[in-house]
């Protein structure tokens, strides 16, 4: 971990991982001091877990497949007041985590989301960019929250996030987080973050087929706006993870 200026509070950085051995060599040394890296291995067949452990990260094994499963496992393993989620594919520098964590720590936002900006069009495939823009518009129409991106870098306080009761365990997890947060009156805002070409092939948006699968998961979340009646079981999971009743 790099040694830089000590930030005002500690956070847990949750990194869902599926065969990101090569990228982790770039990502983990860039995790700033004051942040603990929690690498959630979601069934990797490469040496991702070993690379993470050797770098000093906390490694959590989540055998149940799905991006949301990995995010939930990382959230349950976290102990810091503020958690930050980030992809582990080197498309976002984890050193930028304070851009989203600080507004939450200082009480300005309840959910801070990194809005990706690229310096080369090739870094963000056109099909993935178009799908993201389409979904962001849908979210805005349904929630009244103006968003330009549904990116992977985001920060929130751990206990309220557990109490939201996010149920999706696939690619709909990030979208459901925004819906539930908006429904609960959270203050949601965007902060620009740099985005670069990832290392390896994306499981969600690296191909048109993968993007279509991610969009399908997210559209399923959008179709279901009756979240309030579905929270009990997920909130019970949160209490089982050490959370007080909401």
């Amino acid at each position: 971990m790099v040694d830089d200026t000590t930030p005002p509070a500690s956070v847990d950085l949750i990194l869902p991982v599926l065969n990101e051995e090569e990228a982790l060599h770039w990502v983990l040394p860039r995790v700033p001091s004051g942040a603990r890296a929690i690498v959630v291995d979601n069934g990797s067949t490469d040496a991702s877990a070993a690379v993470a452990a050797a770098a000093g990260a906390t490694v959590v094994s989540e055998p149940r497949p799905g991006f949301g499963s990995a995010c939930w496992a990382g959230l349950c393993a976290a102990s810091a007041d503020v958690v930050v989620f980030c992809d582990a594919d080197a498309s976002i520098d984890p050193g930028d985590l304070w851009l989203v964590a600080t507004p939450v720590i200082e009480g300005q936002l309840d959910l801070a989301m990194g809005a990706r900006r690229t310096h080369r069009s090739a870094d963000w495939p056109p099909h993935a960019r178009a799908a993201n823009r389409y979904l962001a518009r849908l979210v805005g129409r349904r929630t009244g929250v103006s968003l330009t991106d549904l990116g992977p870098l985001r920060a929130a306080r751990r206990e309220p996030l557990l109490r939201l009761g996010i149920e999706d365990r696939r690619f709909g997890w990030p979208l459901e987080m925004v819906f539930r947060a908006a429904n609960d009156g959270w203050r949601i805002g965007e902060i620009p973050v740099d985005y670069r070409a990832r290392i390896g092939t994306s499981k969600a948006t690296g191909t048109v087929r993968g993007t279509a699968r991610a969009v399908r998961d997210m559209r399923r979340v959008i179709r279901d706006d009756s979240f309030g009646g579905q929270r009990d079981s997920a909130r019970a999971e949160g209490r089982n993870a050490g959370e007080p009743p909401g």
Side-chain angles (χ1 to χ4, degrees):
M1 308 297 176
V2 298
D3 184 15
D4 53 6
T5 303
T6 302
S10 62
V11 305
D12 280 335
L13 174 64
I14 299 170
L15 298 161
V17 164
L18 178 59
N19 295 329
E20 302 288 5
E21 174 185 353
E22 184 180 358
L24 286 174
H25 285 293
W26 186 92
V27 169
L28 292 175
R30 287 168 170 79
V31 176
S33 59
R36 174 178 66 143
I38 300 178
V39 172
V40 185
D41 183 14
N42 197 209
S44 298
T45 57
D46 65 3
S48 291
V51 169
T58 297
V59 179
V60 175
S61 177
E62 175 48 80
R64 293 170 293 186
F67 180 75
S69 293
C71 289
W72 176 254
L75 183 58
C76 290
S79 58
D81 181 41
V82 172
V83 295
V84 176
F85 293 88
C86 185
D87 282 352
D89 58 9
S91 61
I92 294 177
D93 189 338
D96 288 343
L97 70 84
W98 297 114
L99 294 175
V100 294
T102 300
V104 175
I105 293 168
E106 295 181 349
Q108 300 165 1
L109 293 173
D110 302 308
L111 176 59
M113 302 177 59
R116 292 168 288 184
R117 59 187 182 189
T118 60
H119 300 286
R120 300 186 313 159
S121 58
D123 290 346
W124 196 352
H127 60 271
R129 189 191 297 261
N132 178 76
R133 190 163 51 240
Y134 163 73
L135 290 166
R137 284 200 300 265
L138 284 181
V139 170
R141 287 201 295 266
R142 294 288 291 272
T143 66
V145 177
S146 179
L147 295 175
T148 63
D149 190 13
L150 295 172
L153 184 66
R154 51 185 65 191
R157 294 196 180 275
R158 180 178 59 88
E159 292 188 7
L161 191 55
L162 278 164
R163 289 195 294 268
L164 278 184
I166 303 171
E167 294 185 341
D168 191 273
R169 295 296 183 260
R170 293 166 57 89
F171 290 120
W173 164 278
L175 192 63
E176 187 179 342
M177 181 190 297
V178 176
F179 267 99
R180 289 186 181 273
N183 287 347
D184 274 14
W186 285 27
R187 296 164 299 168
I188 303 172
E190 291 186 317
I191 297 92
V193 296
D194 287 336
Y195 186 72
R196 55 187 57 80
R198 62 159 288 142
I199 295 176
T201 302
S202 172
K203 287 75 180 174
T205 59
T207 65
V208 173
R209 182 178 181 181
T211 298
R213 184 175 68 246
V215 170
R216 184 173 63 247
D217 286 350
M218 292 185 184
R219 280 182 63 87
R220 186 181 65 248
V221 171
I222 291 172
R223 286 196 301 268
D224 179 14
D225 60 358
S226 58
F227 295 127
Q230 300 178 7
R231 290 183 182 169
D232 290 347
S233 62
R235 281 183 167 171
E237 284 190 78
R239 291 195 293 274
N240 290 339
E243 293 297 313

